[in-house]
């Protein structure tokens, strides 16, 4: 079955570069770009071009890069912080001055924070600044702060880190979803272009027959063997077939422009394919048969669809937000542990600073009404329920769409078979009617009728073939067949 042999998805035989390599492509003049402008244009070449150069795919890469940048910024909340401070009295009763340098490191467990400082003072201080005094070699201090209730399991910093991580994963899924949609549309544009070109061939052949017949009929009319009305009728056929050809040429030009939207050079400039680049039927017959697509399983389709994976990540983000809002309802209980020691000779502060001090402190705060926290929690819970319901709706829609695609595939097989049979029968009728006419037993009107019926049958076969190819393209996109879409 010649027309059905190519009804499957266009095989992407050349492996595509991953997003990270999309910018390290060959310069202008590489073999792929030459293939887009010379020789038969094959579907894998169109898919490779759209995957590497289509703007919306490149835009999705940049959105992913922006999401990764947000993730890096959120990780910055746990950066090591260095702080230094110094002051000195230039005039006045007291001469005291000091310098202090310290570092603080936030930690994820228990919302902890560890810190250490070194402080050195000199001169005399008023009694209300006595705390600034140190021994001659200064004071070292280390400590840690722990959250025991609120912020123990989650806080704004840890929430942001996890939220941006999930958002980056969603951005990666968005890249895949954009790629699937673009490749699907590019493949549909390609097959419409091929079908439009095939229709031109049919109408050209039909017109050539009528024009050749004009020459013979003119001779017969001049010889008196045929009435002039036959020549007039044939001229009407020529005009009608020229009209059909002009419409087909217009449709082909439109299809070529639509395909050029996905066919670009390395600089992103559109490449409009010419009729000379139309592939032959023999080349297209090398593509997989559509029956192989129907035999493919559906077990992992819903699990792997990027839309549903995106929803699952969105639900996880919403659940994390609910946990953060529940954290806001808890009272805040912080534990502070600190150890300090002065070294060297006793300074101006006296012997009271010459000791090792261990300090434990507890701080407790709680809003009594907590209306703000309760309102935020209720909103977060409502958003989580909404996301779960949306996931269910989209999952059902995808399943229905997949069932419809399979139905269309089966119907396309049957219609293409019938169209092929119709072409064979119509061609046989044309041959028989022409033979009868040549023998003088046929009718000129019937010959024209048979020829146009055969042409109509060929057009229907071309369009049935196109329907099968479009259905196969939709099936490959729905089942995420990356190899068929040129993304593997």
């Amino acid at each position: 079955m010649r027309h059905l042999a190519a009804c499957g998805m266009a095989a992407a035989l050349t492996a595509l570069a991953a997003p990270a390599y999309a910018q390290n492509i060959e310069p202008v003049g590489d073999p792929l770009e030459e293939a887009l402008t010379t020789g038969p244009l094959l579907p894998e070449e169109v898919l490779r071009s759209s995957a590497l150069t289509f703007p919306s795919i490149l835009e999705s890469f940049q959105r992913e890069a922006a999401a990764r940048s947000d993730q890096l910024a959120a990780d910055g909340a746990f950066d090591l912080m260095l702080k230094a401070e110094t002051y000195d009295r230039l005039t006045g009763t007291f001469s005291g001055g000091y310098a202090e340098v310290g570092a603080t490191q936030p930690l994820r467990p228990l919302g902890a924070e560890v810190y250490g400082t070194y402080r050195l003072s000199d001169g005399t201080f008023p009694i209300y600044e006595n705390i600034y005094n140190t021994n001659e070699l200064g004071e070292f201090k280390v400590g840690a702060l722990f959250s025991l209730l609120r912020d123990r399991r989650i806080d704004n910093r840890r929430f942001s880190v996890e939220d941006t991580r999930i958002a980056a994963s969603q951005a990666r899924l968005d890249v895949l979803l954009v790629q699937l949609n673009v490749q699907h549309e590019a493949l549909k544009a390609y097959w419409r272009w091929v079908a439009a070109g095939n229709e031109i061939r049919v109408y050209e052949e039909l017109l050539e027959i009528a024009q050749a017949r004009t020459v013979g009929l003119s001779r017969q009319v001049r010889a008196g063997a045929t009435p002039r009305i036959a020549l007039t009728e044939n001229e009407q056929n020529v005009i009608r077939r020229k009209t059909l050809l002009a419409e087909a040429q217009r449709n082909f030009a439109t299809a070529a422009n639509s395909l050029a939207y996905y066919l670009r050079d390395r600089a992103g400039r559109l490449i409009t394919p010419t009729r000379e680049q139309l592939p032959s039927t023999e080349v297209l017959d090398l593509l997989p048969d559509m029956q192989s697509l129907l035999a493919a399983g559906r077990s992992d389709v819903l699990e792997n669809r990027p839309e549903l994976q995106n929803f699952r990540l969105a639900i996880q983000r919403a659940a994390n937000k609910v946990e953060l809002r529940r954290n806001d309802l808890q009272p805040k209980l912080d534990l502070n542990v600190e150890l300090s020691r002065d070294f060297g000779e006793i300074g101006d502060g006296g012997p009271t600073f010459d000791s090792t001090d261990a300090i434990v402190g507890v701080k407790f705060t709680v809003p009594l009404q907590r209306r703000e926290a309760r309102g935020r929690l209720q909103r977060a819970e409502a958003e989580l329920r909404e996301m779960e319901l949306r996931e269910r709706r989209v999952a059902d829609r995808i399943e229905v769409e997949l069932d419809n695609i399979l139905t269309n595939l089966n119907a396309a097989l049957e219609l293409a078979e019938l169209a092929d049979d119709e072409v064979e029968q119509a061609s046989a009728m044309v041959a028989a009617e022409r033979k009868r006419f040549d023998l003088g037993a046929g009718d000129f009107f019937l010959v024209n009728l048979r020829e146009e019926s055969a042409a109509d049958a060929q057009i229907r076969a071309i369009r049935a073939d196109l329907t099968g190819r479009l259905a196969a393209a939709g099936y490959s996109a729905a089942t995420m067949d990356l190899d068929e879409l040129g993304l593997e």
Side-chain angles (χ1 to χ4, degrees):
M1 194 165 48
R2 189 173 69 179
H3 293 283
L4 275 181
C7 281
M9 183 65 92
L13 301 177
T14 307
L16 286 177
Y21 304 121
Q23 304 183 21
N24 297 324
I25 55 181
E26 300 89 342
V28 175
D30 61 73
L32 173 61
E33 193 163 314
E34 293 179 3
L36 299 180
T37 55
T38 61
L41 181 61
L42 299 179
E44 58 266 22
E45 295 162 355
V46 174
L47 292 173
R48 181 171 174 81
S49 173
S50 60
L52 290 177
T53 64
F54 196 73
S56 62
I57 292 181
L58 302 181
E59 290 167 16
S60 68
F61 293 156
Q62 297 307 315
R63 287 195 297 270
E64 183 189 10
R68 298 293 180 191
S69 301
D70 291 340
Q71 185 179 7
L72 178 63
D75 289 335
F78 293 91
D79 287 347
L80 178 67
M81 298 294 294
L82 183 66
K83 180 180 179 181
E85 180 181 1
T86 183
Y87 90 89
D88 195 9
R89 284 181 168 84
L90 300 180
T91 62
T93 304
F94 299 97
S95 60
Y98 83 98
E100 180 177 355
V101 61
T104 302
Q105 177 63 66
L107 302 176
R108 298 175 191 249
L110 298 177
E113 185 178 278
V114 295
Y115 57 89
T117 62
Y118 171 74
R119 189 161 55 88
L120 178 65
S121 69
D122 184 42
T124 59
F125 292 88
I127 190 170
Y128 51 82
E129 292 183 1
N130 190 46
I131 191 174
Y132 294 133
N133 279 296
T134 66
N135 283 355
E136 294 293 334
L137 296 182
E139 175 200 63
F140 286 95
K141 179 188 295 184
V142 294
L145 182 67
F146 302 95
S147 299
L148 302 182
L149 291 177
R150 186 193 301 178
D151 299 340
R152 183 172 63 89
R153 293 194 307 170
I154 188 172
D155 57 17
N156 286 324
R157 293 180 301 182
R158 282 173 285 175
F159 170 79
S160 295
V161 169
E162 180 67 10
D163 191 63
T164 53
R165 183 192 66 80
I166 299 175
S169 299
Q170 287 182 301
R172 182 67 193 95
L173 288 173
D174 179 64
V175 170
L176 177 58
L177 185 59
V178 171
Q179 288 176 319
L180 290 173
N181 291 335
V182 168
Q183 299 300 84
H184 182 204
E185 293 300 323
L187 204 52
K188 290 197 300 183
Y190 174 80
W191 291 125
R192 289 189 177 112
W193 173 73
V194 171
N198 290 336
E199 289 188 13
I200 288 181
R201 291 170 179 169
V202 173
Y203 289 125
E204 282 181 340
E205 182 180 352
L206 191 63
L207 177 60
E208 288 171 1
I209 292 172
Q211 289 174 332
R213 185 171 292 133
T214 299
V215 177
L217 286 174
S218 297
R219 287 196 302 266
Q220 293 177 9
V221 169
R222 287 194 299 269
T226 301
R228 186 167 184 81
I229 189 65
L231 181 60
T232 302
E233 182 181 355
N234 190 68
E235 289 174 349
Q236 287 181 329
N237 289 333
V238 170
I239 294 173
R240 182 168 60 252
R241 294 176 185 186
K242 282 183 177 180
T243 302
L244 293 174
L245 178 59
E247 292 176 353
Q249 290 171 337
R250 180 200 61 192
N251 294 337
F252 178 78
T254 301
N257 290 334
S258 298
L259 180 56
Y261 186 56
Y262 302 95
L263 203 63
R264 300 166 183 260
D265 61 18
R266 299 301 186 182
R269 294 182 294 265
L270 304 185
I271 300 176
T272 303
T274 63
R275 189 179 168 193
E276 289 71 23
Q277 293 180 267
L278 283 169
S280 64
T281 305
E282 290 72 18
V283 173
L284 296 180
D285 282 343
L286 298 175
L287 298 177
D289 192 278
M290 197 167 64
Q291 290 284 6
S292 62
L293 296 178
L294 293 175
R298 297 176 49 190
S299 57
D300 297 329
V301 172
L302 292 179
E303 183 69 23
N304 295 327
R305 281 289 291 257
E307 302 99 313
L308 298 183
Q309 292 187 61
N310 203 332
F311 268 113
R312 286 190 283 271
L313 291 175
I315 289 173
Q316 186 177 347
R317 292 180 71 180
N320 289 343
K321 191 172 183 180
V322 169
E323 185 178 358
L324 179 65
R325 297 312 176 202
R326 286 175 179 163
N327 172 73
D328 293 341
L329 284 173
Q330 298 184 22
K332 190 167 182 62
L333 180 63
D334 294 338
L335 172 66
N336 183 218
V337 179
E338 189 175 277
L339 182 67
S340 63
R341 172 67 186 178
D342 283 70
F343 296 89
E345 298 294 330
I346 296 175
D348 294 334
T352 57
F353 287 86
D354 190 28
S355 64
T356 299
D357 298 328
I359 301 173
V360 176
V362 176
K363 183 178 180 181
F364 179 81
T365 58
V366 59
L368 296 180
Q369 292 179 298
R370 298 183 293 179
R371 288 179 295 184
E372 180 182 1
R374 287 201 303 270
R376 290 182 176 180
L377 174 60
Q378 290 172 7
R379 180 178 180 83
E381 291 174 337
E383 290 174 347
L384 175 59
R385 290 192 296 269
E386 177 194 5
M387 196 63 63
E388 291 171 341
L389 292 172
R390 288 176 60 189
E391 181 198 22
R392 175 63 183 273
R393 173 175 58 82
V394 172
D396 292 342
R397 175 179 59 78
I398 291 175
E399 192 167 3
V400 170
E401 288 178 355
L402 190 58
D403 289 338
N404 290 338
I405 289 172
L406 289 174
T407 300
N408 291 335
L409 277 171
N410 283 305
L413 281 171
E414 297 177 5
L415 290 175
E417 289 178 356
L418 293 173
D420 279 347
D421 293 341
E422 185 181 4
V423 169
E424 292 179 5
Q425 296 297 327
S427 299
M429 290 296 293
V430 168
E433 197 63 45
R434 285 174 180 168
K435 185 175 182 181
R436 290 180 69 240
F437 181 76
D438 292 339
L439 295 175
D443 182 83
F444 180 68
F445 173 77
L446 287 178
V447 172
N448 286 328
L449 183 62
R450 300 300 185 196
E451 289 173 349
E452 294 181 2
S453 295
D456 290 341
Q458 292 179 38
I459 295 299
R460 284 192 291 273
I462 291 171
R463 293 176 181 176
D465 178 76
L466 174 61
T467 300
R469 292 179 184 275
L470 296 182
Y475 183 82
S476 293
T479 56
M480 293 179 57
D481 192 335
L482 301 184
D483 184 59
E484 291 292 330
L485 294 174
L487 295 172
E488 186 59 59

